[in-house]
Amino acid sequence: MSHVLIAGGTGMLKNVSLYFASHGMNVSVIARNPGKFEQLILSKGIHGYINPLRADYNDYEQLKRRIVNAVSIYGPIETVVAWIHSSAPEAPHIIAEIVNSYNIPVKYFHILGSEHSDPSAVNEDYKEIFYRLKNIFYRKVILGFIIEDDKSRWLTDTEISNGVIDALKKDDDVFTVGRTEPWEMKP
Ligand SMILES: NC(=O)c1ccc[n+]([C@@H]2O[C@H](COP(=O)([O-])OP(=O)(O)OC[C@H]3O[C@@H](n4cnc5c(N)ncnc54)[C@H](OP(=O)(O)O)[C@@H]3O)[C@@H](O)[C@H]2O)c1
């Protein structure tokens, strides 16, 4: 059974966790709150397995240990979906380095806020780290906004999960959920 790792998979990406589980995969979900894990596991339509990988991704050593343990049980990870707050800047790389080390190809979908649509406004050096890892196929998924009746708003959780699932299927190097132009219309 394929093994998928989703960081932040009990929040706005909950439906992405359920999408993989409904396709019969082992889904290791990184988050902290036991109540949110319970809600996810009790959701209907799961044919695969949700593995609650309880870790604070700010604690890099704990994060590493938990992922290595999950791989020892469910096998090497083939897909990563990572939504990680900027409070843990190294966590996306740490995850990539661990999954890279098992010598199988890994698709890594990095979910990023709208500001990443403008590379000049964001330090993009971190990308080099992913590109150096030979087994990592790095994909950027940028969360944009919606314009309706000349007004803009942020995406809902359902729109974010659905958009990320579209990004997984399309498998483009860069995929934007919603839009990031015109930037002046950002909510
Ligand atoms: N462009 C856009 O439209 C856009 C962009 C970003 C966000 N948003 C909106 O903003 C809302 C809030 O964003 P959010 O990031 O709080 O959303 P969220 O996805 O609802 O929650 C964050 C996820 O990451 C986990 N998490 C957070 N900190 C963690 C840590 N230190 N270690 C391990 N796991 C951790 C959370 O679980 P635990 O709390 O259990 O750890 C949860 O699964 C979202 O609901 C979304 O609608 C919109």
Side-chain angles (χ1 to χ4, degrees):
M1 218 194 276
S2 296
H3 188 188
V4 178
L5 179 70
I6 307 192
T10 59
M12 65 189 192
L13 296 182
K14 182 178 168 195
N15 287 346
V16 177
S17 304
L18 294 175
Y19 167 80
F20 282 113
S22 71
H23 284 76
M25 298 183 189
N26 281 318
V27 189
S28 289
V29 176
I30 300 171
R32 297 160 301 174
N33 184 313
K36 287 197 227 163
F37 274 125
E38 198 177 351
Q39 277 181 20
L40 178 66
I41 290 163
L42 293 177
S43 301
K44 288 190 180 140
I46 296 187
H47 305 297
Y49 181 73
I50 302 269
N51 168 40
L53 200 156
R54 269 189 78 188
D56 181 339
Y57 53 51
N58 293 286
D59 180 343
Y60 298 145
E61 288 309 314
Q62 181 192 53
L63 180 65
K64 279 187 208 169
R65 278 198 309 276
R66 295 276 155 80
I67 298 174
V68 168
N69 183 49
V71 170
S72 73
I73 300 169
Y74 303 108
I77 289 159
E78 294 168 17
T79 305
V80 174
V81 179
W83 167 243
I84 294 175
H85 293 161
S86 54
S87 63
E90 294 306 320
H93 306 143
I94 287 170
I95 293 173
E97 277 167 13
I98 298 172
V99 297
N100 177 68
S101 69
Y102 293 93
N103 284 323
I104 63 159
V106 183
K107 283 189 188 169
Y108 189 113
F109 294 86
H110 197 186
I111 316 301
L112 297 162
S114 337
E115 64 281 11
H116 286 262
S117 61
D118 176 4
S120 67
V122 177
N123 178 356
E124 291 274 284
D125 291 349
Y126 70 87
K127 270 196 327 200
E128 298 306 319
I129 297 174
F130 294 103
Y131 291 140
R132 271 208 316 267
L133 300 170
K134 67 180 175 30
N135 298 313
I136 299 291
F137 295 84
Y138 181 70
R139 316 285 191 237
K140 235 169 36 166
V141 182
I142 296 171
L143 302 178
F145 52 85
I146 300 283
I147 298 180
E148 276 171 347
D149 303 328
D150 295 333
K151 285 196 192 130
S152 66
R153 62 165 177 82
W154 293 115
L155 300 158
T156 64
D157 287 3
T158 304
E159 287 166 342
I160 290 173
S161 276
N162 287 344
V164 170
I165 292 167
D166 289 344
L168 299 168
K169 290 178 181 164
K170 262 199 123 193
D171 201 22
D172 290 342
D173 288 348
V174 181
F175 185 97
T176 301
V177 183
R179 58 195 291 168
T180 53
E181 296 286 338
W183 183 243
E184 314 77 73
M185 290 265 316
K186 168 174 83 70

